[in-house]
Amino acid sequence: KAGVTQTPRYLIKTRGQQVTLSCSPISGHRSVSWYQQTPGQGLQFLFEYFSETQRNKGNFPGRFSGRQFSNSRSEMNVSTLELGDSALYLCASSLEFYNTQYFGPGTRLTVL
Amino acid sequence: QQQVKQSPQSLIVQKGGISIINCAYENTAFDYFPWYQQFPGKGPALLIAIRPDVSEKKEGRFTISFNKSAKQFSLHIMDSQPGDSATYFCAASGGGGATNKLIFGTGTLLAVQP
């Protein structure tokens, strides 16, 4: 079974631009969560989707948004990029709730 | 109350030794405690997980010890190998409602010397 895939793997943007990251969960998994990983703040929860509905949201500004499609694939969008948005963005999928989460390799975003 | 505190920040162990990483939490509603292993350039991978109804869980060389009354849990890596050199994160989840949201500790960088 293929694991969680994330595209692109690397991205370089400039301040003020916007970016869209994509996540394909493991086949059959209906829950997708996003996390931001930085050296300073560690792993922080962004949001969680289940059956196309956002079920939970972390403490991030409204510039961070996401969505989930009917095939469980998910995208997250960051608008008006800031230098501090440079991070590894990780997607995790699980069957439903209370199940093991499997992480993808992440998208490394660099904002210049 | 949502924090998970992890120590030590870094750890150096000789090959064959025991690596011990500790975590503490405040929210008594947490009911799922996984440990993740992360290598450079990779996403975190689930190592082992425990729920509060047991005090210990062992899988191969990896053991979680859980102390519900102290709100602490720890990872023990027996017979540590150079291939175990990675960053380890503890996490906690639960607290009411249907969610998979994980609260992570700050990570422990483990180096196993040959």
Side-chain angles (χ1 to χ4, degrees):
Chain A
K1 208 179 224 185
V4 177
T5 58
Q6 292 188 245
T7 56
R9 291 293 312 279
Y10 302 92
L11 208 49
I12 300 176
K13 292 285 188 179
T14 56
R15 279 180 299 174
Q17 287 187 308
Q18 75 166 23
V19 66
T20 299
L21 312 180
S22 181
C23 170
S24 292
I26 292 172
S27 177
H29 284 194
R30 299 166 63 192
S31 173
V32 172
S33 298
W34 289 89
Y35 294 83
Q36 181 196 64
Q37 185 174 25
T38 60
Q41 298 298 317
L43 280 152
Q44 291 189 290
F45 172 80
L46 277 158
F47 23 65
E48 171 183 35
Y49 289 89
F50 182 81
S51 293
E52 302 178 67
T53 302
Q54 187 180 90
R55 297 299 298 262
N56 215 335
K57 190 177 192 302
N59 189 25
F60 279 82
R63 300 184 296 107
F64 291 81
S65 62
R67 58 179 177 168
Q68 186 182 33
F69 301 97
S70 58
N71 61 358
S72 294
R73 192 178 67 86
S74 178
E75 289 181 348
M76 68 163 281
N77 183 276
V78 188
S79 62
T80 319
L81 284 166
E82 301 177 359
L83 295 178
D85 297 333
S86 294
L88 181 67
Y89 289 88
L90 293 158
C91 169
S93 79
S94 63
L95 274 170
E96 293 185 1
F97 298 109
Y98 313 117
N99 296 119
T100 298
Q101 287 191 71
Y102 298 90
F103 281 82
T107 293
R108 171 73 62 186
L109 171 65
T110 302
V111 182
L112 302 176
Chain B
Q1 252 218 336
Q2 287 291 311
Q3 277 191 319
V4 176
K5 295 182 181 179
Q6 183 172 346
S7 63
Q9 190 172 357
S10 62
L11 183 61
I12 300 174
V13 172
Q14 296 298 314
K15 179 182 175 182
I18 302 174
S19 304
I20 301 174
I21 305 170
N22 301 298
C23 285
Y25 63 97
E26 289 294 325
N27 189 346
T28 55
F30 285 148
D31 59 5
Y32 176 66
F33 302 90
W35 284 89
Y36 282 86
Q37 178 190 58
Q38 186 176 30
F39 292 103
K42 305 286 187 182
L46 180 69
L47 206 53
I48 186 172
I50 198 168
R51 295 197 184 271
D53 51 343
V54 296
S55 60
E56 187 175 280
K57 183 175 181 180
K58 184 176 180 179
E59 289 184 2
R61 296 185 294 110
F62 302 93
T63 300
I64 298 179
S65 296
F66 186 81
N67 187 327
K68 189 174 181 178
S69 60
K71 292 184 284 186
Q72 295 175 347
F73 58 111
S74 60
L75 175 69
H76 295 234
I77 305 174
M78 312 300 287
D79 187 27
S80 299
Q81 299 297 312
D84 296 330
S85 298
T87 301
Y88 292 80
F89 294 94
C90 62
S93 183
T99 181
N100 285 323
K101 175 183 175 180
L102 289 169
I103 307 296
F104 282 92
T106 49
T108 297
L109 180 60
L110 171 65
V112 181
Q113 294 186 335

